[in-house]
Amino acid sequence: MNKFNKTLLATAITLASTQAMSAGFQLNSQSATGIGRAMAGDAIIADNASVLSRNPAAMALFDKKALSVGLTFADIDVNVDDVTKTVPGLGTVNFGDVHGAADSKIIPNFYYINPIDDKFAIGFAAFSNYGTGTDLTPLANAGVNTPVGFMPAPVDLLGNTEVLTVNFNTSMSYRVNEEFSFGFGIDAIYAEGTLTRKGSVPVANVGVVPVTLVDVDADGWAFGAILGMSYEVNADHRFGLSYRFSPTLSAKGDISFNRQDYAKIDIPMADIAQFAGFHQLTDTFAVHYTAQWTSWSDFDHITVKNNPVQQHLKTYHWQDSWFLSLGATYNISQDLTARVGVASDQGVVDQLSSLSIPDSDRHWYTTGLSYQLNEQSSVDLGVAYVRGENVTVKENSAILGEITAHTRSNGTYYSVQYNYSF
């Protein structure tokens, strides 16, 4: 029965580190300005304090204290259609569909940058890099009566996943000279989540009975780090580079797997590297870009532990992914700025796919506005439409064998942000 938990603890990786609508379950929703330009140039533009989520070295570009606070509403649409099992002699048994399987979420953020002098700056931030909410429970009890008897749904692949993560970051930057700056930060990641896999299965001489295969309510802390650098060719052209070291989260709480209790779950997280450029081509027009690499191949095992006993619940063969974006900013007037962006977001699933992680390649189409309220404050708005691909999923159930389904995930981000310069 070790293999039955294909999906539930895969999604539990978000306890530690990324679904809403990026590869794996990575969130790209740290600011309204970033959403408006598809995160293009986010690690170096430094037009407000939210740059702290991408590159601590970019704090060196600030000569005044800066505050940014915002909210993003992620309207996620995940559909799972035609969950089927092919049975020799019976043909195809269809367990049904689930539309609107993912929960929409409100994602807050906070950033503060304080230049100490012309060399040093410190910053504090709270934001989310990871989170998901997917519920396939309606299918878990969708067993089918066949000519040879009752066939249960693949209960081990279906259920509810709710995850919340908060990243608390403290960073420092140092300006070496007019061109180079470096930054370093510590990430403290808190996460909590609820995972269930339960439904109805037939039992010999008893009949159809409800069973709970997995019931998890856990939380935990993990600590990581981020390194960054910035290079300023001049006031109009600059580049940023950062690398975020992600830890393995040990989540503790009520952890039940196959009628056995465990003390904790260890979940490895993926590192994130990104390179960004910004070019002010005229007084009113600029272009910017980002190449972001995520080491999803590090997400190899999900492990439950009762010292000294430990067990791999699942081995994954995911691939590293790239997020590539291009954006443009146009100053309509002294007070009004418009931005647009497009991005290509590579999926992480290689050979092993999953019903409850409907991952695929995605494309981002975004736009945004900034309005300068006065000399010290401004408001940003951003909207992003994220479109995924239709994917045929084949996943092995320990109860029924190979299950086939068709999944698609789309989403729209709506974001607002307030910025203040002291």
Side-chain angles (χ1 to χ4, degrees), residues 211-226:
V211 296
T212 298
L213 302 178
V214 175
D215 192 358
V216 175
D217 186 0
D219 65 354
W221 286 88
F223 293 89
I226 182 171

Side-chain angles (χ1 to χ4, degrees), residues 291-361:
Q292 177 179 282
W293 171 84
T294 306
S295 65
W296 280 114
S297 60
D298 291 339
F299 175 47
D300 51 1
H301 302 290
I302 299 296
T303 306
V304 292
K305 293 184 176 181
N306 262 336
N307 289 333
V309 178
Q310 66 178 31
Q311 181 181 13
H312 291 321
L313 294 178
K314 174 65 180 176
T315 298
Y316 290 85
H317 299 288
W318 282 10
Q319 60 186 358
D320 298 340
S321 68
W322 284 93
F323 179 92
L324 305 175
S325 64
L326 176 66
T329 299
Y330 180 72
N331 297 322
I332 299 174
S333 67
Q334 184 176 353
D335 297 328
L336 189 62
T337 300
R339 55 184 63 89
V340 296
V342 294
S344 174
D345 192 4
Q346 183 185 19
V348 302
V349 174
D350 191 5
Q351 297 179 2
L352 297 180
S353 53
S354 172
L355 286 173
S356 62
I357 308 178
D359 194 54
S360 71
D361 293 344

